[in-house]
Amino acid sequence: MKRFRALGKTIFSSHPMNLLLGSLLAMVISMTGLAAHAAGGELSKEDQACLSCHDKADQVKKLENGEVLSLSISTKAYVESMHNGTSCEDCHSNIEAKTHSKEKKSIASKRDFSLSMRETCRDCHKKKFTQYDDSVHAALIKAGSKKAPLCSDCHNPHTVLSAKIISPIADTPCAKCHEDIFKAYAKDVHGLERVAKGKSAPLCANCHQAHDVKAASLGSGVKDACISCHKNASELHKDWLPNTDRHFEAISCPACHAPDAQRRVNLRLYDGVEKHQVSEKTGVPQFDRLTVAADAKNMGLDEMALLSLLKEFNRDGAGGKTVLRGRLEVRSGVEAHQLSEKSKALKDCNVCHQAGATPFQSVTLTIAGPDGRPLRHGVQAGVLTSIASVDSVRGFYAIGSTRIKLLDILLVLVVVGALGVPIGHMTVKRLFKGVREKLEAERLAAAQGAGKTAPMAQRRHGDEASK
Ligand code: HEC
Ligand code: HEC
Ligand code: HEC
Ligand code: HEC
Ligand code: HEC
Ligand code: HEC
Ligand code: HEC
Ligand code: HEC
Ligand code: HEC
């Protein structure tokens, strides 16, 4: 039909009167098309022939693994689907209409059958296919997953309707595989809003994409999606949250907006030069080997283990390229989908900014695995407040009494260092560099205008004096 409409436009495009005629012609053509399709009579002879056998209930084929493949295709649903303009042969060119019913082709399993058909969509939907090829789901399939979705897991090719139609949220294809997350989402602020008001509130694909789905914690894709709808989020938080941008960077949105969630600190391996998370996409996997070696007793990495691990990652002349970047996040995927209305969001500074704050008692180290999903290893909570890890965790600890105490200790050490006493295996210079960098960052942050950094400023003077 589209083609006909385009044809009408090209023939009559030069004059307004002709344009009108053109659209009239297009309308007539498309209406006859519609009528024919609606009756099912206009399906090609070949298609009708296929359906004469396949539009029967209870048509099945037993597969080698014992599964039963339904062979029934509803003519009615097909004619009403977005694919009513394509013919069976477009996608089933390998089927010999006359003979295949007697051939008894052997098919190992439903999954095998789907995999054998997976390339069919590529010709007509190149763009979606390319996006999908780059997704976590496609990576999982390449790695042999039997559960990750192909196009046909999310779209039945014989019944597919327009994506513009608003269906009940439970019909989203994501729900059948991510059931627990769907249940949480359905009860959270967006799920409820979606049911009440329709499309303005997000469904899975609005935050994660439908085709180019990436691991949720990788990069800033999901956060960018939040901000694409909540455009003034940063402004609205600035009223009460100093250094809003720093907080948005260091805390995932659900960590404050899922009020009942448990939280943790995630130390991500980060490429400080290329500015992205380190991943194991290329080369020999190192993460599991190195973390297990560094944590023989499986008690969680301590600060020295973390330091030597970083050194390993910076071998081969990488020179400090790999750093750690802390982020406060919720502990489980389900909790990321329990967002509440704003009045329940976390506003109390003390939940994070006091000595021994709960969210800082659970710490993990992650690298992005080959498909982008994080590989994890436990880290001892003491690492965040340990002097030895100032360099590696770049001061990712809450301000408040913890930080001030730590800075006090550092100052003492710097003075001691000046007397020439080496501390552990770290040189004073190194320690000092950590402090300098940290304070520099603080100076910058303070220069950006926000609140409570006055005590830091005093200490900075102290440091400079001892240089
Ligand atoms: C005479 C009835 C008949 C007609 C006509 C027919 N089919 Fe079939 N079809 C069958 C039967 C029976 C099977 C199961 C064959 C088996 O056990 O391997 C089947 C299997 C299939 C399968 C399952 C997978 C496979 O590769 O075997 C597909 C797909 C299929 N048909 C598509 C079509 C298409 C497309 C047409 C029209 C071009 C068509 N059929 C015409 C009877 C028919
Ligand atoms: C847009 C592409 C497309 C069109 C058009 C199409 N099919 Fe299919 N068909 C597929 C794909 C892909 C599969 C495999 C589905 C899966 O992975 O389970 C399939 C599977 C089948 C099967 C096996 C049973 C099943 O549902 O998996 C039959 C039978 C079949 N098609 C018949 C037909 C007939 C008859 C027509 C025309 C009326 C038709 N198909 C039109 C793509 C198409
Ligand atoms: C022969 C070409 C052809 C093939 C092959 C094909 N499609 Fe389509 N598809 C179309 C056309 C034409 C439409 C109608 C709407 C349009 O122009 O996008 C459509 C529409 C769709 C839509 C609905 C789009 C919307 O606007 O909401 C989906 C989803 C879809 N196809 C999925 C698939 C999948 C999955 C496969 C592979 C199993 C596939 N298609 C294979 C031609 C094709
Ligand atoms: C994980 C589920 C999932 C997979 C896999 C998937 N899709 Fe989709 N697709 C969706 C959802 C959800 C929508 C509607 C929402 C949207 O477009 O954001 C959609 C929309 C579409 C549309 C209509 C888009 C539009 O904007 O009009 C087409 C065409 C399509 N998909 C084709 C494909 C093809 C081809 C593949 C395989 C390469 C594929 N899809 C794989 C979930 C999926
Ligand atoms: C309002 C945006 C939003 C919506 C809607 C949404 N998600 Fe998420 N999703 C997130 C956020 C945020 C995370 C956590 C990302 C992070 O770690 O920073 C996440 C994480 C995930 C994860 C990874 C979980 C894990 O174990 O780490 C999956 C899988 C997921 N979502 C699937 C879904 C599905 C399926 C739906 C629909 C039922 C959905 N999401 C709806 C925002 C959303
Ligand atoms: C056919 C089953 C299936 C469907 C349908 C499906 N997924 Fe997945 N998805 C998986 C599997 C399996 C994994 C890997 C295991 C895991 O991480 O949960 C995965 C992983 C993911 C991840 C990465 C998890 C992480 O740790 O970051 C995200 C995000 C995701 N899916 C989102 C979606 C969205 C959004 C949809 C719908 C548009 C969807 N999925 C539909 C099976 C599916
Ligand atoms: C430190 C905790 C915290 C973080 C991090 C945070 N928020 Fe908030 N947010 C709040 C609190 C508390 C409120 C309620 C403020 C009020 O009522 O004055 C709020 C309000 C909101 C509102 C409602 C604004 C309005 O006034 O209508 C939106 C939308 C929102 N946040 C989105 C986000 C997004 C998106 C992110 C991540 C980029 C995020 N928030 C990160 C604590 C946080
Ligand atoms: C597709 C657009 C869209 C996306 C994407 C989106 N939201 Fe929303 N969000 C809405 C709508 C619509 C509402 C309900 C109306 C309102 O209160 O603004 C809402 C409500 C909220 C509320 C409750 C506000 C209140 O007034 O109580 C919070 C908090 C929130 N969203 C946070 C987020 C976070 C965090 C993300 C990303 C993980 C996100 N949103 C992604 C559209 C979106
Ligand atoms: C959910 C936990 C959380 C809450 C709630 C929170 N913060 Fe933060 N805050 C952090 C984290 C994490 C950082 C980043 C620390 C780092 O990078 O060392 C931070 C950084 C800061 C900084 C900047 C320090 C620097 O190094 O630049 C200031 C100032 C600050 N917070 C003040 C506040 C105030 C005031 C409130 C209450 C209105 C508040 N925060 C609420 C976790 C939180």
Side-chain angles (χ1 to χ4, degrees), residues 1-170:
M1 276 179 260
K2 258 189 187 160
R3 247 172 285 149
F4 289 141
R5 220 171 282 139
L7 188 68
K9 274 193 193 138
T10 34
I11 298 174
F12 297 99
S13 60
S14 53
H15 190 274
M17 187 57 199
N18 284 350
L19 243 174
L20 184 71
L21 275 174
S23 4
L24 268 177
L25 176 69
M27 254 171 73
V28 172
I29 295 175
S30 61
M31 274 164 68
T32 39
L34 255 181
H37 269 317
E42 193 66 8
L43 286 177
S44 69
K45 285 223 166 60
E46 289 82 3
D47 289 358
Q48 290 180 35
C50 307
L51 288 164
S52 70
C53 284
H54 282 286
D55 189 4
K56 285 181 192 143
D58 307 329
Q59 285 233 68
V60 295
K61 176 178 169 62
K62 195 141 189 218
L63 307 183
E64 284 182 3
N65 68 345
E67 283 176 331
V68 175
L69 179 69
S70 160
L71 297 175
S72 305
I73 308 289
S74 152
T75 305
K76 181 168 181 290
Y78 186 74
V79 165
E80 285 166 3
S81 81
M82 291 296 275
H83 279 153
N84 61 10
T86 57
S87 70
C88 312
E89 287 243 12
D90 288 339
C91 300
H92 293 288
S93 54
N94 63 334
I95 290 281
E96 195 51 66
K98 296 231 164 61
T99 56
H100 81 282
S101 62
K102 292 170 207 123
E103 266 168 14
K104 301 291 165 217
K105 195 166 95 190
S106 102
I107 297 172
S109 65
K110 282 189 184 175
R111 185 69 174 180
D112 257 34
F113 179 60
S114 297
L115 283 168
S116 75
M117 294 293 293
R118 66 181 295 212
E119 286 295 322
T120 28
C121 324
R122 195 186 287 273
D123 281 346
C124 302
H125 299 290
K126 274 205 181 63
K127 200 173 145 209
K128 297 281 180 248
F129 217 109
T130 318
Q131 289 173 345
Y132 167 82
D133 270 343
D134 208 25
S135 70
V136 59
H137 289 141
L140 283 159
I141 284 170
K142 270 186 213 125
S145 164
K146 292 199 163 35
K147 292 186 180 148
L150 302 160
C151 313
S152 57
D153 286 306
C154 294
H155 305 289
N156 183 328
H158 311 115
T159 61
V160 60
L161 297 176
S162 166
K164 294 200 182 76
I165 295 171
I166 302 178
S167 327
I169 53 172

Side-chain angles (χ1 to χ4, degrees), residues 189-190 193 200-202 207 225-226 229-230 253 257 339-342:
V189 68
H190 291 124
E193 178 80 8
S200 64
C207 291
C226 310
C229 285
H230 298 289
C253 315
H257 283 285
L339 306 179
S340 286
E341 59 267 37
K342 63 180 173 187

Side-chain angles (χ1 to χ4, degrees), residues 356-433:
T358 317
F360 295 78
Q361 301 316 306
S362 167
V363 185
T364 67
L365 174 73
T366 59
I367 192 170
D371 55 29
R373 289 183 304 151
L375 304 175
R376 252 175 234 293
H377 196 93
V379 174
Q380 291 175 15
V383 160
L384 296 177
T385 45
S386 152
I387 300 147
S389 45
V390 164
D391 224 15
S392 48
V393 304
R394 309 251 143 175
F396 190 88
Y397 40 81
I399 55 169
S401 54
T402 320
R403 169 178 289 184
I404 290 166
K405 198 166 26 166
L406 181 60
L407 284 175
D408 282 344
I409 298 169
L410 281 173
L411 279 177
V412 171
L413 286 178
V414 169
V415 174
V416 175
L419 299 175
V421 182
I423 303 146
H425 71 269
M426 294 205 324
T427 65
V428 173
K429 225 168 147 194
R430 241 185 105 144
L431 248 183
F432 195 48
K433 185 165 156 271

Side-chain angles (χ1 to χ4, degrees), residues 306-328:
L306 208 53
L307 268 180
S308 59
L309 200 75
L310 271 185
K311 236 184 246 155
E312 283 290 324
F313 273 97
N314 282 318
R315 256 200 180 147
D316 310 326
K321 208 169 156 239
T322 302
V323 295
L324 292 173
R325 273 200 151 189
R327 188 175 82 136
L328 200 70

Side-chain angles (χ1 to χ4, degrees), residues 240-243 246-247 250-251 256 328 346-349 352-353 360 395-397 399 403 438 442 445 452:
W240 57 273
L241 186 64
N243 284 3
R246 178 78 197 107
H247 279 105
I251 308 173
C256 286
L328 200 70
L346 186 57
K347 201 171 189 175
D348 180 1
C349 320
C352 300
H353 293 294
F360 295 78
F396 190 88
Y397 40 81
I399 55 169
R403 169 178 289 184
K438 183 63 207 156
E442 255 154 21
K452 306 198 171 178

